Amino acid sequence: MHKDVDTSMLRRAIWNYIHCMFGIRYDDYDYGEINQLLDRSFKVYIKTVVCTPEKTTKRMYDSFWRQFEHSEKVHVNLLLVEARMQAELLYALRAITRYMT
């Protein structure tokens, strides 16, 4: 219902939580923010979408962030899969770098 809300902290928390699930951690990020901004049920949803997307159901999608619009929830889902893709690319780049040296 609010307009022009700065969601950068929330987006950064989601991004870093996904990277943390894949073992990528950043020294300059306070991981306490994740527990403050993401509740347990949303973390379960994130883990399901990122790790086993085939198990994600419409019911799960409908149950998280009920007060948000559909477009905002789609935006979050895109953020989830983009963060996963970046984590995979970082691992691939590291493997290539190790192979080349």
Side-chain angles (χ1 to χ4, degrees), residues 2 4 42 50 58 70-72 81 83 91-92 95:
H2 302 284
D4 300 324
F42 186 47
V50 171
K58 180 163 176 20
H70 177 70
S71 61
E72 294 168 319
V81 296
Y91 273 109

Side-chain angles (χ1 to χ4, degrees), residues 5-39:
V5 177
D6 182 20
T7 60
S8 60
M9 283 181 61
L10 176 64
R11 287 182 280 130
R12 190 176 331 115
I14 293 169
W15 193 273
N16 286 328
Y17 178 64
I18 294 167
H19 279 203
C20 185
M21 287 191 312
F22 285 95
I24 301 167
R25 293 184 64 96
Y26 300 98
D27 293 338
D28 61 340
Y29 182 71
D30 176 19
Y31 285 89
E33 278 185 9
I34 291 174
N35 291 329
Q36 292 173 352
L37 296 172
L38 308 179
D39 65 348

Side-chain angles (χ1 to χ4, degrees), residues 57-70:
T57 63
K58 180 163 176 20
R59 189 167 137 213
M60 290 175 69
Y61 174 80
D62 291 336
S63 68
F64 94 92
W65 285 5
R66 293 176 189 221
Q67 69 274 21
F68 286 82
E69 294 180 15
H70 177 70

Side-chain angles (χ1 to χ4, degrees), residues 46-58:
I46 290 172
K47 193 165 188 173
T48 304
V49 169
V50 171
C51 297
T52 54
E54 69 277 2
K55 292 183 180 178
T56 306
T57 63
K58 180 163 176 20

